[in-house]
Amino acid sequence: MSRFSTRTDFTRTLNPLAQALERHRASGLRLLDLTESNPTRVGLPTPDPAVLATEGAFTYEPDPLGLASARQALVADFAARGARVSEAHLVLSASTSEAYGWLFKLLCEPGDNVLVPAPCYPLFEHLARLEGVQTRSYPLPRAHGFGLDARVVGDAVNDRTRAVLVVNPGNPTGHFLHEGELAVLADVCASWRLPLICDEVFAPFAWDAEPGRVATVAGRPLPMLTFTLSGLSKSVGLPGLKLAWTHVGGPADLRDEALARLEWMADASLPVGTPVQKALPALLAHAPVFQAAVRERVRGNRQRLLAARRPGALWDVVPAEGGWSAVLRIPRAPGEEATCLALLDAGVLVQPGYFYDFGGGAFLVLSLLPQPEDFAAAVEVLARTLGP
Ligand SMILES: Cc1ncc(COP(=O)(O)O)c(C=O)c1O
């Protein structure tokens, strides 16, 4: 019998694409990496590191919810985006991933499930599994351009479902939640008495200003318990600083009970460092600089991608509204893996759609963050390889 838990028994064998990548790297041949989404490696602006050297950076006055000064800075940041929230309803964590772990512990018994979108970044299944929780997918319909169709969410609910998770805008699909969809989603959650977990890490990265998009669900009078998640890893492009936040909203009795339990969980490990909390006002002040640079990078690279597509090509760029990625629809034959392998042979790395649980067709996912010259060189190879 194994000495280890089944929930940590993750597959570690390399798939053919990962094996081919290892071989390519070992060969020393040039690789144009269109999977690069680490914001600290693509020449984007960072704040002056001196912002971390605040007075009091070495003091230790733990508050499980996070330092009041840091939570007040977040209240001002929400207000600047038109959302009125209270610092008493905010909980800091080291990352949104950690916050997910707390929320799954808060809401689920082992064996329960949470609803997650498909396609989506493959994070939630692993985080849930580590808490003994399962994920059940609800489809983001292709006909909807992979935007949310709140009516289909209810079809995925079963008697062990404990929460609905929404990513606004989707990663990698880049569609925002719209006001009408939120209204339907709120009805679905309220009728099944399910909390909503809304992941807004990519919300600052809308590509244009179309009206009717939900910028945040925080601070709204929603009928269900609502958790809104974001953090520095995307909003300021600094995942290494380890600071994220969860806003808790919804009916007051449920909200206060959830906050008391989250406070207790946070108190068990007090995971957020003092220097980053003290520096939060300065880091949030830098956010607009970083976000504008990302929007400019993404806009330019998306144009380069669209320009590389020759008329009549059998591949297409799937429409989207925001985020850091592009999704390409490609012919079913030879399919995702064979296409990724052919591109790797030609020196370009992209991700296959199956990595993100795309169904009903063949897709590639690429990051729009790489430096423009690398991106331009890569899409030239991409267009040549995909043909015609
Ligand atoms: C949609 C989404 N949410 C959350 C995360 C994780 O963010 P964090 O670094 O705060 O754990 C990611 C990571 O890429 C993500 O794509």
Side-chain angles (χ1 to χ4, degrees):
M1 202 172 76
S2 167
R3 287 168 181 272
F4 301 106
S5 66
T6 49
R7 64 185 195 281
T8 55
D9 188 18
F10 286 98
T11 314
R12 290 194 299 262
T13 46
L14 295 183
N15 64 27
L17 186 57
Q19 288 173 18
L21 180 59
E22 278 203 343
R23 284 196 299 276
H24 191 96
R25 290 213 157 107
S27 74
L29 289 170
R30 186 180 185 212
L31 182 68
L32 293 164
D33 187 355
L34 290 187
T35 69
E36 181 59 89
S37 54
N38 179 338
T40 68
R41 284 203 296 234
V42 286
L44 291 166
T46 50
D48 183 345
V51 300
L52 285 170
T54 53
E55 206 184 314
F58 294 139
T59 56
Y60 189 51
E61 290 152 6
D63 180 334
L65 293 179
L67 292 180
S69 59
R71 286 182 288 125
Q72 281 154 11
L74 286 170
V75 169
D77 197 62
F78 272 108
R81 290 180 285 133
R84 280 186 53 180
V85 304
S86 156
E87 71 182 78
H89 303 155
L90 285 163
V91 189
L92 304 193
S93 56
S95 62
T96 51
S97 305
E98 180 177 59
Y100 277 115
W102 291 348
L103 294 179
F104 297 153
K105 279 193 266 288
L106 174 73
L107 301 169
C108 304
E109 301 295 349
D112 285 344
N113 67 69
V114 293
L115 302 189
V116 300
C120 189
Y121 183 74
L123 174 71
F124 310 121
E125 189 189 334
H126 305 305
L127 295 174
R129 178 172 160 173
L130 286 170
E131 305 301 337
V133 172
Q134 289 162 14
T135 51
R136 275 171 73 80
S137 295
Y138 64 86
L140 300 177
R142 170 83 201 283
H144 231 232
F146 298 112
L148 183 91
D149 180 348
R151 283 160 305 194
V152 306
V153 175
D155 300 341
V157 176
N158 72 9
D159 60 351
R160 300 291 306 259
T161 303
R162 295 293 173 263
V164 176
L165 207 151
V166 165
V167 184
N168 180 37
N171 178 19
T173 42
H175 274 271
F176 275 85
L177 185 63
H178 287 249
E179 290 293 344
E181 289 158 356
L182 177 59
V184 179
L185 191 62
D187 283 348
V188 171
C189 288
S191 68
W192 291 96
R193 296 159 61 94
L194 290 172
L196 176 69
I197 300 174
C198 189
D199 183 323
E200 299 182 351
V201 298
F202 286 106
F205 304 99
W207 298 341
D208 55 33
E210 193 191 288
R213 284 183 194 147
V214 174
T216 178
V217 297
R220 291 165 180 255
L222 290 166
M224 67 290 190
L225 188 56
T226 305
F227 302 93
T228 309
L229 273 57
S230 191
L232 293 184
S233 78
K234 305 290 186 291
S235 67
V236 189
L238 294 170
L241 289 190
K242 310 311 290 179
L243 192 151
W245 49 90
T246 302
H247 176 268
V248 187
D253 53 339
L254 290 174
R255 179 198 64 203
D256 293 346
E257 183 65 23
L259 278 161
R261 291 177 183 230
L262 285 169
E263 182 172 1
W264 195 89
M265 277 189 267
D267 199 20
S269 58
L270 296 164
V272 194
T274 306
V276 70
Q277 295 190 65
K278 294 261 181 196
L280 191 56
L283 292 164
L284 293 173
H286 171 76
V289 177
F290 171 75
Q291 291 167 10
V294 169
R295 281 193 292 267
E296 177 61 22
R297 174 71 57 84
V298 161
R299 191 190 54 75
N301 280 345
R302 207 174 148 82
Q303 266 171 10
R304 284 174 196 100
L305 178 62
L306 292 168
R309 183 182 181 278
R310 296 183 196 116
L314 297 176
W315 59 279
D316 222 331
V317 183
V318 176
E321 304 169 328
W324 297 0
S325 300
V327 177
L328 266 50
R329 188 193 49 78
I330 59 167
R332 281 174 192 263
E336 294 175 353
E337 190 151 271
T339 305
C340 289
L341 288 169
L343 282 166
L344 190 56
D345 263 352
V348 171
L349 182 64
V350 299
Q351 284 172 325
Y354 70 73
F355 186 67
Y356 293 87
D357 206 6
F358 275 87
F363 298 90
L364 300 179
V365 176
L366 38 110
S367 167
L368 292 169
L369 285 194
Q371 304 262 18
E373 39 303 351
D374 293 340
F375 193 86
V379 293
E380 201 186 304
V381 176
L382 184 99
R384 212 172 37 238
T385 309
L386 292 181

